[in-house]
Amino acid sequence: MYEQPRPNPALLAMTFDQMLERVRYEGAYPTRERAEQAVRNVLAALGRQVTGDERVELARCLPHEAALVLTAQIPDTEQLTGWGFVKDLAARTGATPATARWETGAVLAAVSRLAGPDLLARILHQLPAGYALLFGRAELRQPQPAA
């Protein structure tokens, strides 16, 4: 008898409320409203960076409300580095870069779980340097020859 495939627990559907509670826990936010504000800000910023099939697939992985925030954004013509992403988020929200980095990590940790390792790898391949750390992953780079 063959073993039946089992669903990957990281890829199981999550409601928007469950996503907010996960972000609230990860970010140590005092209220659900504060966690929701972080989710909306970070997903809007991510929606300006991710394009193509990866954007569509990521939207499918997210709860409906979160997917709407991501896809409501028009992708920027110039992609930002990971640090540029954090600085842009800070400027748009009036937060400090440290706060924007904290929010980014809390939200993208939940997004990473929902996307799963394969889609996340494709998204990271599409984005410039610095995003792996924002998603809670190590950023391995090929050594560059000395000039």
Side-chain angles (χ1 to χ4, degrees), residues 4-143:
Q4 295 295 318
R6 295 182 186 161
N8 182 346
L11 299 177
L12 295 177
M14 181 184 289
T15 67
F16 189 60
D17 286 334
Q18 289 169 327
M19 182 181 189
L20 294 180
E21 284 306 313
R22 182 172 295 272
V23 170
R24 183 176 177 193
Y25 175 80
E26 293 280 339
Y29 294 113
T31 64
R32 181 184 181 279
E33 291 75 23
R34 183 64 189 92
E36 183 172 355
Q37 181 182 18
V39 167
R40 291 184 182 282
N41 290 339
V42 173
L43 287 179
L46 188 62
R48 291 188 290 273
Q49 298 300 309
V50 178
T51 61
D53 291 340
E54 290 77 17
R55 177 184 173 98
V56 173
E57 287 183 46
L58 180 58
R60 278 192 216 137
C61 296
L62 297 173
H64 180 73
E65 297 89 336
L68 290 176
V69 173
L70 179 86
T71 57
Q73 303 303 309
I74 297 171
D76 287 342
T77 56
E78 183 179 329
Q79 286 188 318
L80 301 171
T81 64
W83 177 237
F85 179 88
V86 170
K87 289 191 312 186
D88 182 64
L89 181 62
R92 288 176 186 264
T93 62
T96 65
T99 300
R101 172 60 182 95
W102 183 267
E103 287 184 354
T104 300
V107 174
L108 294 185
V111 170
S112 173
R113 286 187 191 98
L114 289 166
D118 295 337
L119 177 55
L120 183 58
R122 290 183 19 234
I123 291 169
L124 291 174
H125 181 72
Q126 178 191 90
L127 295 170
Y131 281 88
L133 293 174
L134 298 178
F135 279 96
R137 302 286 192 259
E139 181 147 5
L140 304 176
R141 308 199 84 216
Q142 294 293 327

